[in-house]
Amino acid sequence: MAELTINGATSNGVTGVETEVKEKLCRRCKQSYDPSKNTTSSCRFHPSFFVCRRHDDQKRYYELGPDDPPYAAKFYDCCGAEDPDALGCTTAFHVSYDDE
């Protein structure tokens, strides 16, 4: 039987050939992942940028304070989330920097 090594940990009581699972880094969410466990909901990310600009009045996702200038709105252009650390609004497969 093969000994499985993942992130430096080996299975107990199994000796023989060593097999290593190489993790990859996702270019969307910047998380490490195991390609064999990559599913359509593995990666959570924002498909657009975090912006600082005035938004259409028809698409107002934010509330400005009374003393804020009109350009003080900061939000993700895709979903309107105002927190730069907000969880992504879209899920998909992880995409490695090795993938084209």
Side-chain angles (χ1 to χ4, degrees):
M1 271 189 130
E3 182 176 350
L4 183 61
T5 303
I6 301 175
N7 291 337
T10 59
S11 57
N12 290 334
V14 179
T15 59
V17 178
E18 191 172 297
T19 305
E20 188 172 325
V21 176
K22 184 170 179 161
E23 290 190 338
K24 293 187 174 188
L25 181 65
C26 179
R27 66 180 179 204
R28 290 178 178 152
C29 69
K30 310 298 186 256
Q31 300 293 317
S32 294
Y33 69 96
D34 178 348
S36 66
K37 297 178 182 173
N38 196 8
T39 67
T40 57
S41 61
S42 293
C43 181
R44 181 174 287 277
F45 64 99
H46 290 282
S48 189
F49 295 104
F50 192 76
V51 296
C52 176
R53 64 173 165 79
R54 188 180 178 104
H55 214 301
D56 283 349
D57 287 336
Q58 287 83 23
K59 296 181 179 178
R60 185 169 291 233
Y61 295 115
Y62 56 88
E63 291 186 26
L64 296 176
D67 298 326
D68 289 337
Y71 54 84
K74 297 175 185 172
F75 53 92
Y76 277 100
D77 210 18
C78 48
C79 65
E82 297 176 354
D83 182 357
D85 298 322
L87 284 177
C89 61
T90 302
T91 58
F93 287 102
H94 286 294
V95 178
S96 168
Y97 284 99
D98 299 332
D99 299 338
E100 298 228 15

